[in-house]
Protein backbone atom coordinates (compact mmCIF):
# COMPACT_ATOMS: atom_id res chain seq x y z
CA UNK A 1 0.00 0.00 0.00
CA UNK A 2 1.61 3.26 -1.05
CA UNK A 3 1.90 6.14 1.38
CA UNK A 4 0.50 8.37 -1.34
CA UNK A 5 -2.86 6.59 -1.24
CA UNK A 6 -3.17 7.01 2.50
CA UNK A 7 -2.20 10.66 2.48
CA UNK A 8 -4.47 11.56 -0.43
CA UNK A 9 -7.53 10.50 1.51
CA UNK A 10 -6.37 11.99 4.78
CA UNK A 11 -7.93 9.14 6.74
CA UNK A 12 -7.94 9.36 10.50
CA UNK A 13 -4.50 10.98 10.75
CA UNK A 14 -3.67 14.61 11.35
CA UNK A 15 -0.20 15.99 11.68
CA UNK A 16 -1.17 18.12 14.65
CA UNK A 17 -4.26 16.61 16.20
CA UNK A 18 -3.27 17.15 19.83
CA UNK A 19 -2.50 20.87 19.63
CA UNK A 20 -4.37 22.80 22.30
CA UNK A 21 -6.26 25.83 21.04
CA UNK A 22 -4.66 28.47 23.24
CA UNK A 23 -5.18 31.45 20.96
CA UNK A 24 -6.85 34.53 22.46
CA UNK A 25 -10.24 35.13 20.86
CA UNK A 26 -11.86 38.53 20.98
CA UNK A 27 -15.17 38.49 22.84
CA UNK A 28 -18.10 38.75 20.46
CA UNK A 29 -21.85 38.85 20.71
CA UNK A 30 -23.87 36.01 19.22
CA UNK A 31 -24.79 38.29 16.31
CA UNK A 32 -21.11 38.59 15.42
CA UNK A 33 -20.38 34.86 15.29
CA UNK A 34 -19.51 33.53 11.88
CA UNK A 35 -20.90 30.15 10.95
CA UNK A 36 -18.39 27.39 10.30
CA UNK A 37 -17.95 27.25 6.54
CA UNK A 38 -18.48 30.96 5.91
CA UNK A 39 -14.89 31.59 4.67
CA UNK A 40 -15.37 28.82 2.10
CA UNK A 41 -18.63 30.24 0.79
CA UNK A 42 -17.11 33.73 0.66
CA UNK A 43 -14.18 32.44 -1.42
CA UNK A 44 -16.46 30.56 -3.80
CA UNK A 45 -18.67 33.63 -4.26
CA UNK A 46 -15.60 35.72 -5.06
CA UNK A 47 -14.42 33.08 -7.52
CA UNK A 48 -17.51 33.25 -9.73
CA UNK A 49 -17.15 37.00 -10.33
CA UNK A 50 -14.44 39.57 -9.63
CA UNK A 51 -16.86 42.35 -8.61
CA UNK A 52 -18.22 42.46 -5.05
CA UNK A 53 -21.74 41.13 -4.63
CA UNK A 54 -22.71 43.90 -2.18
CA UNK A 55 -24.99 41.59 -0.20
CA UNK A 56 -24.28 39.99 3.17
CA UNK A 57 -23.56 36.27 3.26
CA UNK A 58 -26.41 35.28 5.57
CA UNK A 59 -26.70 32.06 7.53
CA UNK A 60 -29.53 30.96 5.23
CA UNK A 61 -27.43 31.52 2.11
CA UNK A 62 -24.49 29.72 3.68
CA UNK A 63 -26.63 26.65 4.36
CA UNK A 64 -27.98 26.77 0.79
CA UNK A 65 -24.43 27.02 -0.55
CA UNK A 66 -23.32 24.01 1.50
CA UNK A 67 -26.12 21.98 -0.07
CA UNK A 68 -25.30 23.17 -3.59
CA UNK A 69 -21.56 22.53 -3.37
CA UNK A 70 -22.19 19.10 -1.88
CA UNK A 71 -24.50 18.13 -4.77
CA UNK A 72 -21.90 19.34 -7.26
CA UNK A 73 -19.15 17.30 -5.59
CA UNK A 74 -21.29 14.15 -5.70
CA UNK A 75 -22.08 14.76 -9.38
CA UNK A 76 -18.39 15.08 -10.17
CA UNK A 77 -17.60 11.86 -8.32
CA UNK A 78 -20.29 10.07 -10.34
CA UNK A 79 -18.88 11.44 -13.60
CA UNK A 80 -15.23 10.66 -12.96
CA UNK A 81 -15.77 7.24 -11.35
CA UNK A 82 -18.14 5.98 -14.03
CA UNK A 83 -18.56 3.30 -15.13
CA UNK A 84 -18.79 1.43 -11.83
CA UNK A 85 -18.14 -2.30 -11.67
CA UNK A 86 -20.96 -4.55 -10.37
CA UNK A 87 -19.03 -4.88 -7.09
CA UNK A 88 -18.76 -1.10 -6.74
CA UNK A 89 -22.44 -0.64 -7.51
CA UNK A 90 -23.25 -3.23 -4.86
CA UNK A 91 -21.30 -1.28 -2.24
CA UNK A 92 -23.33 1.85 -3.00
CA UNK A 93 -26.53 -0.11 -2.42
CA UNK A 94 -25.32 -1.82 0.75
CA UNK A 95 -23.89 1.24 2.46
CA UNK A 96 -27.05 3.32 2.11
CA UNK A 97 -28.90 0.98 4.49
CA UNK A 98 -26.32 1.43 7.27
CA UNK A 99 -26.23 4.95 8.72
CA UNK A 100 -22.66 5.88 9.56
CA UNK A 101 -21.90 6.15 13.30
CA UNK A 102 -21.59 9.75 14.52
CA UNK A 103 -19.25 10.00 17.52
CA UNK A 104 -17.58 12.72 19.56
CA UNK A 105 -14.57 11.83 21.72
CA UNK A 106 -13.39 13.99 24.61
CA UNK A 107 -11.00 13.81 27.54
CA UNK A 108 -12.43 12.63 30.86
CA UNK A 109 -11.42 15.85 32.62
CA UNK A 110 -13.83 17.77 30.34
CA UNK A 111 -16.88 15.57 30.85
CA UNK A 112 -18.17 17.26 34.01
CA UNK A 113 -18.25 20.65 32.30
CA UNK A 114 -20.12 19.14 29.34
CA UNK A 115 -22.76 17.81 31.75
CA UNK A 116 -22.95 21.19 33.50
CA UNK A 117 -23.58 23.12 30.31
CA UNK A 118 -25.76 20.35 28.85
CA UNK A 119 -24.01 20.60 25.50
CA UNK A 120 -20.84 20.28 23.48
CA UNK A 121 -19.76 23.77 22.49
CA UNK A 122 -17.37 25.33 20.01
CA UNK A 123 -14.15 27.03 21.08
CA UNK A 124 -15.71 30.43 20.30
CA UNK A 125 -18.71 29.79 22.55
CA UNK A 126 -16.48 28.38 25.28
CA UNK A 127 -14.37 31.55 25.27
CA UNK A 128 -17.49 33.65 25.87
CA UNK A 129 -18.57 31.78 29.00
CA UNK A 130 -17.36 32.49 32.50
CA UNK A 131 -16.71 28.93 33.72
CA UNK A 132 -13.53 26.91 33.27
CA UNK A 133 -12.31 26.58 29.71
CA UNK A 134 -12.43 23.13 28.15
CA UNK A 135 -9.38 21.76 26.39
CA UNK A 136 -10.18 22.05 22.69
CA UNK A 137 -8.03 20.72 19.87
CA UNK A 138 -9.07 23.30 17.28
CA UNK A 139 -6.01 24.87 15.64
CA UNK A 140 -6.14 28.49 14.49
CA UNK A 141 -5.05 27.31 11.03
CA UNK A 142 -8.40 25.57 10.65
CA UNK A 143 -10.22 28.68 11.81
CA UNK A 144 -8.59 30.75 9.06
CA UNK A 145 -9.37 28.03 6.55
CA UNK A 146 -13.10 27.57 7.22
CA UNK A 147 -14.16 29.08 10.57
CA UNK A 148 -13.38 26.10 12.81
CA UNK A 149 -13.59 28.08 16.07
CA UNK A 150 -17.36 28.18 15.48
CA UNK A 151 -17.74 24.41 15.07
CA UNK A 152 -18.31 21.35 17.22
CA UNK A 153 -16.76 18.22 15.72
CA UNK A 154 -17.66 14.56 15.42
CA UNK A 155 -16.28 11.65 13.42
CA UNK A 156 -18.57 10.00 10.86
CA UNK A 157 -17.85 6.36 10.14
CA UNK A 158 -15.49 5.01 12.84
CA UNK A 159 -17.61 2.83 15.18
CA UNK A 160 -15.94 4.27 18.28
CA UNK A 161 -14.82 7.66 16.98
CA UNK A 162 -11.21 8.85 17.03
CA UNK A 163 -9.50 7.78 20.31
CA UNK A 164 -6.77 10.38 19.96
CA UNK A 165 -9.32 13.02 21.01
CA UNK A 166 -10.03 11.43 24.40
CA UNK A 167 -11.09 8.41 26.41
CA UNK A 168 -14.82 9.30 26.67
CA UNK A 169 -17.16 8.29 23.85
CA UNK A 170 -20.28 10.35 23.15
CA UNK A 171 -22.47 8.55 20.62
CA UNK A 172 -24.82 10.91 18.82
CA UNK A 173 -28.34 10.21 17.63
CA UNK A 174 -28.87 9.94 13.89
CA UNK A 175 -31.26 12.92 14.16
CA UNK A 176 -28.24 15.15 14.80
CA UNK A 177 -27.62 15.12 11.05
CA UNK A 178 -29.68 18.27 10.52
CA UNK A 179 -27.60 21.39 9.83
CA UNK A 180 -24.23 19.66 9.69
CA UNK A 181 -21.62 19.19 6.99
CA UNK A 182 -18.40 17.24 6.74
CA UNK A 183 -15.07 16.85 4.96
CA UNK A 184 -12.97 13.69 4.47
CA UNK A 185 -10.19 14.94 6.76
CA UNK A 186 -9.29 17.72 9.17
CA UNK A 187 -8.17 21.14 8.03
CA UNK A 188 -4.68 20.52 9.42
CA UNK A 189 -4.28 17.34 7.40
CA UNK A 190 -5.60 19.12 4.31
CA UNK A 191 -2.97 21.87 4.61
CA UNK A 192 -0.18 19.36 5.25
CA UNK A 193 -0.96 16.42 2.98
CA UNK A 194 -3.07 18.00 0.22
CA UNK A 195 -1.73 21.57 -0.02
CA UNK A 196 1.80 20.44 1.00
CA UNK A 197 2.37 23.23 3.50
CA UNK A 198 4.05 23.07 6.90
CA UNK A 199 0.83 23.17 8.93
CA UNK A 200 2.66 22.74 12.23
CA UNK A 201 4.87 25.75 11.58
CA UNK A 202 1.83 27.76 10.48
CA UNK A 203 0.07 26.83 13.71
CA UNK A 204 3.12 27.77 15.77
CA UNK A 205 3.15 31.24 14.18
CA UNK A 206 -0.51 31.80 15.00
CA UNK A 207 -0.17 30.45 18.55
CA UNK A 208 2.66 32.93 19.10
CA UNK A 209 0.37 35.80 18.12
CA UNK A 210 1.88 36.34 14.68
CA UNK A 211 0.05 36.49 11.37
CA UNK A 212 0.62 34.17 8.45
CA UNK A 213 2.36 35.60 5.37
CA UNK A 214 -0.05 37.17 2.90
CA UNK A 215 1.89 36.44 -0.28
CA UNK A 216 0.33 33.46 -2.09
CA UNK A 217 3.85 32.37 -3.08
CA UNK A 218 4.95 32.02 0.53
CA UNK A 219 4.80 28.34 1.59
CA UNK A 220 3.27 29.36 4.95
CA UNK A 221 0.41 31.39 3.50
CA UNK A 222 -3.26 30.42 3.72
CA UNK A 223 -5.60 32.10 1.32
CA UNK A 224 -8.04 32.10 -1.56
CA UNK A 225 -6.79 29.00 -3.39
CA UNK A 226 -6.67 26.95 -0.19
CA UNK A 227 -10.30 27.77 0.61
CA UNK A 228 -11.45 27.08 -2.93
CA UNK A 229 -9.75 23.69 -2.84
CA UNK A 230 -11.16 22.77 0.59
CA UNK A 231 -14.66 23.84 -0.53
CA UNK A 232 -14.65 20.98 -3.02
CA UNK A 233 -14.61 18.46 -0.18
CA UNK A 234 -17.83 19.67 1.50
CA UNK A 235 -20.39 16.89 1.98
CA UNK A 236 -23.80 17.50 3.56
CA UNK A 237 -25.55 14.80 5.54
CA UNK A 238 -27.74 13.26 2.83
CA UNK A 239 -24.57 12.31 0.92
CA UNK A 240 -22.39 11.06 3.76
CA UNK A 241 -22.73 7.37 3.05
CA UNK A 242 -22.36 7.86 -0.69
CA UNK A 243 -19.22 9.94 -0.16
CA UNK A 244 -17.76 7.22 2.06
CA UNK A 245 -18.54 4.63 -0.60
CA UNK A 246 -16.79 6.71 -3.25
CA UNK A 247 -13.72 6.95 -1.01
CA UNK A 248 -13.75 3.16 -0.64
CA UNK A 249 -14.00 2.67 -4.40
CA UNK A 250 -10.94 4.88 -4.91
CA UNK A 251 -8.99 2.99 -2.25
CA UNK A 252 -9.76 -0.32 -3.94
CA UNK A 253 -8.94 0.95 -7.43
CA UNK A 254 -5.55 2.19 -6.28
CA UNK A 255 -4.44 -1.07 -4.68
CA UNK A 256 -1.37 -2.83 -6.02
CA UNK A 257 -0.49 -6.53 -6.32
CA UNK A 258 0.99 -6.90 -2.83
CA UNK A 259 -0.29 -9.42 -0.25
CA UNK A 260 -1.52 -6.51 1.86
CA UNK A 261 -3.60 -5.18 -1.02
CA UNK A 262 -5.11 -8.62 -1.52
CA UNK A 263 -6.29 -8.57 2.10
CA UNK A 264 -7.86 -5.16 1.54
CA UNK A 265 -9.71 -6.53 -1.51
CA UNK A 266 -11.00 -9.39 0.62
CA UNK A 267 -12.24 -6.91 3.22
CA UNK A 268 -13.98 -4.91 0.49
CA UNK A 269 -15.77 -8.08 -0.64
CA UNK A 270 -16.87 -8.77 2.95
CA UNK A 271 -18.56 -5.37 3.09
CA UNK A 272 -20.96 -6.46 0.35
CA UNK A 273 -22.48 -9.26 2.41
CA UNK A 274 -22.12 -8.04 6.02
CA UNK A 275 -25.58 -7.46 7.51
CA UNK A 276 -24.61 -6.24 10.97
CA UNK A 277 -24.01 -2.43 10.90
CA UNK A 278 -21.42 -2.52 13.71
CA UNK A 279 -19.39 -5.21 11.96
CA UNK A 280 -19.79 -3.41 8.63
CA UNK A 281 -18.27 -0.18 9.93
CA UNK A 282 -15.53 -2.08 11.77
CA UNK A 283 -14.57 -3.60 8.42
CA UNK A 284 -14.87 -0.23 6.70
CA UNK A 285 -12.69 1.56 9.27
CA UNK A 286 -10.70 -0.98 11.33
CA UNK A 287 -9.52 0.12 14.79
CA UNK A 288 -6.00 1.50 14.79
CA UNK A 289 -3.38 -0.86 16.18
CA UNK A 290 -0.65 0.73 18.27
CA UNK A 291 2.89 0.03 17.02
CA UNK A 292 1.54 -1.80 13.97
CA UNK A 293 4.03 -2.82 11.29
CA UNK A 294 4.02 -1.23 7.86
CA UNK A 295 2.44 -4.38 6.47
CA UNK A 296 -0.29 -4.39 9.13
CA UNK A 297 -1.08 -0.74 8.46
CA UNK A 298 -1.38 -1.47 4.75
CA UNK A 299 -3.75 -4.37 5.42
CA UNK A 300 -5.97 -2.30 7.72
CA UNK A 301 -6.14 0.88 5.66
CA UNK A 302 -9.50 2.60 6.28
CA UNK A 303 -11.82 2.76 3.29
CA UNK A 304 -13.09 6.22 4.18
CA UNK A 305 -13.67 8.83 6.86
CA UNK A 306 -15.57 12.07 7.39
CA UNK A 307 -15.18 14.81 10.00
CA UNK A 308 -18.53 16.43 10.84
CA UNK A 309 -18.87 20.12 11.68
CA UNK A 310 -21.80 21.46 13.75
CA UNK A 311 -22.46 25.15 14.37
CA UNK A 312 -21.71 26.64 17.81
CA UNK A 313 -23.10 23.98 20.14
CA UNK A 314 -24.67 20.56 20.27
CA UNK A 315 -27.32 19.93 22.94
CA UNK A 316 -27.19 16.86 25.18
CA UNK A 317 -30.64 16.15 23.73
CA UNK A 318 -28.76 14.67 20.75
CA UNK A 319 -26.60 12.34 22.88
CA UNK A 320 -27.47 8.68 22.52
CA UNK A 321 -24.99 7.55 25.17
CA UNK A 322 -21.96 8.65 27.16
CA UNK A 323 -19.38 5.88 27.59
CA UNK A 324 -16.67 6.38 30.20
CA UNK A 325 -13.73 4.20 31.31
CA UNK A 326 -15.13 1.43 33.54
CA UNK A 327 -13.03 2.48 36.52
CA UNK A 328 -14.53 5.99 36.33
CA UNK A 329 -18.20 5.00 36.04
CA UNK A 330 -19.04 5.14 39.75
CA UNK A 331 -17.40 8.55 40.10
CA UNK A 332 -19.29 10.02 37.13
CA UNK A 333 -22.64 8.67 38.30
CA UNK A 334 -22.08 10.36 41.68
CA UNK A 335 -21.75 13.85 40.20
CA UNK A 336 -24.79 16.12 40.79
CA UNK A 337 -24.53 17.28 37.17
CA UNK A 338 -24.88 13.70 35.99
CA UNK A 339 -28.12 12.88 37.81
CA UNK A 340 -30.52 13.95 35.03
CA UNK A 341 -28.55 11.85 32.53
CA UNK A 342 -27.86 8.60 34.36
CA UNK A 343 -29.72 6.66 31.66
CA UNK A 344 -27.12 7.87 29.14
CA UNK A 345 -24.00 7.15 31.18
CA UNK A 346 -22.46 3.70 30.96
CA UNK A 347 -19.09 1.97 31.07
CA UNK A 348 -17.08 1.75 27.90
CA UNK A 349 -17.06 -1.92 26.81
CA UNK A 350 -13.84 -3.79 27.50
CA UNK A 351 -11.48 -3.65 24.55
CA UNK A 352 -12.96 -0.44 23.14
CA UNK A 353 -10.16 1.98 22.24
Amino acid sequence: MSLRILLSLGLLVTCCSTLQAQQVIKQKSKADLQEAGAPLAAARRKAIHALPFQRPLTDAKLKQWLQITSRCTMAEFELFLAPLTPQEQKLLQVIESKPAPIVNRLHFENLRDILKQKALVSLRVEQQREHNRLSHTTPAVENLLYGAFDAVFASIGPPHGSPRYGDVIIRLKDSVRENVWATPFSGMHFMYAIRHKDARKMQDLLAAGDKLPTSPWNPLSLGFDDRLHFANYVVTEQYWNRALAYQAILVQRNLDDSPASQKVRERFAQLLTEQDPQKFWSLFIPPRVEQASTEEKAEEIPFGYLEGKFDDQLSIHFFESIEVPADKLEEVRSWPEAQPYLSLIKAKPAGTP
Side-chain angles (χ1 to χ4, degrees):
M1 175 60 56
S2 71
L3 182 60
R4 181 170 174 267
I5 294 172
L6 185 57
L7 289 179
S8 67
L9 288 170
L11 303 174
L12 300 175
V13 180
T14 64
C15 66
C16 197
S17 61
T18 59
L19 284 174
Q20 298 299 314
Q22 298 174 340
Q23 298 78 18
V24 176
I25 300 175
K26 183 180 179 181
Q27 295 292 323
K28 292 185 177 184
S29 68
K30 173 63 181 175
D32 291 327
L33 292 182
Q34 70 173 352
E35 298 285 349
L40 304 180
R44 179 59 191 151
R45 185 171 68 169
K46 184 177 180 181
I48 62 176
H49 202 287
L51 292 176
F53 278 78
Q54 305 295 348
R55 298 284 173 83
L57 183 61
T58 63
D59 291 351
K61 289 201 176 205
L62 172 58
K63 286 178 171 56
Q64 289 177 329
W65 174 79
L66 289 168
Q67 295 290 337
I68 289 169
T69 195
S70 180
R71 289 199 301 271
C72 290
T73 297
M74 291 300 101
E76 290 173 342
F77 262 117
E78 291 165 8
L79 172 67
F80 295 125
L81 286 175
L84 299 180
T85 67
Q87 194 181 44
E88 292 167 348
Q89 291 173 338
K90 177 67 173 175
L91 177 63
L92 284 172
Q93 295 169 5
V94 168
I95 201 171
E96 290 294 352
S97 66
K98 297 175 176 61
I102 310 169
V103 178
N104 175 279
R105 296 286 295 241
L106 56 89
H107 296 288
F108 180 80
E109 56 266 28
N110 290 331
L111 178 58
R112 194 163 188 173
D113 278 321
I114 297 299
L115 293 171
K116 284 180 182 178
Q117 58 197 10
K118 302 178 177 62
L120 293 164
V121 302
S122 69
L123 179 58
R124 185 91 65 188
V125 171
E126 189 62 42
Q127 289 281 346
Q128 293 180 320
R129 299 186 173 179
E130 298 300 325
H131 51 68
N132 293 334
R133 182 190 303 180
L134 304 183
S135 59
H136 284 260
T137 53
T138 311
V141 168
E142 295 192 353
N143 189 55
L144 291 179
L145 180 62
Y146 66 87
F149 285 170
D150 297 275
V152 175
F153 300 92
S155 64
I156 300 162
H160 306 297
S162 301
R164 67 184 179 277
Y165 293 123
D167 52 354
V168 175
I169 299 175
I170 297 180
R171 301 189 187 278
L172 301 174
K173 297 177 181 177
D174 200 56
S175 57
V176 80
R177 289 169 173 257
E178 297 179 11
N179 301 320
V180 62
W181 54 284
T183 57
F185 30 62
S186 71
M188 288 294 287
H189 186 89
F190 167 78
M191 295 302 295
Y192 171 75
I194 311 301
R195 298 298 292 178
H196 306 297
K197 298 186 178 184
D198 192 335
R200 185 183 293 275
K201 186 176 291 186
M202 295 167 73
Q203 177 61 21
D204 289 344
L205 283 173
L206 294 170
D210 298 324
K211 293 183 178 180
L212 296 181
T214 56
S215 169
W217 293 280
N218 191 300
L220 299 182
S221 67
L222 191 163
F224 184 66
D225 288 345
D226 299 304
R227 296 188 182 98
L228 281 187
H229 192 164
F230 197 66
N232 282 289
Y233 294 110
V234 168
V235 181
T236 49
E237 62 88 12
Q238 68 268 46
Y239 299 113
W240 284 353
N241 281 42
R242 183 166 289 266
L244 288 165
Y246 288 154
Q247 290 181 37
I249 289 169
L250 283 171
V251 168
Q252 188 197 42
R253 289 187 182 183
N254 283 280
L255 295 173
D256 54 29
D257 295 326
S258 67
S261 285
Q262 182 55 37
K263 292 211 180 262
V264 178
R265 291 188 181 92
E266 292 170 1
R267 186 155 49 90
F268 189 98
Q270 286 180 270
L271 291 173
L272 307 184
T273 57
E274 181 54 65
Q275 299 297 315
D276 182 83
Q278 180 78 16
K279 292 180 181 178
F280 176 90
W281 289 108
S282 293
L283 286 168
F284 198 91
I285 306 177
R288 297 180 67 188
V289 177
E290 295 297 329
Q291 299 180 336
S293 66
T294 301
E295 184 75 7
E296 289 171 330
K297 290 179 181 178
E299 292 175 1
E300 298 298 311
I301 180 174
F303 281 122
Y305 175 76
L306 289 171
E307 179 184 85
K309 289 115 170 115
F310 303 82
D311 285 327
D312 296 335
Q313 57 187 322
L314 192 57
S315 168
I316 201 169
H317 168 75
F318 290 107
F319 293 12
E320 185 173 274
S321 66
I322 302 171
E323 298 178 9
V324 302
D327 61 345
K328 300 286 188 181
L329 180 61
E330 185 175 346
E331 175 187 346
V332 174
R333 292 179 69 85
S334 71
W335 294 341
E337 302 84 1
Q339 299 313 299
Y341 310 112
L342 292 180
S343 62
L344 298 179
I345 300 169
K346 58 188 68 176
K348 191 165 57 173
T352 303

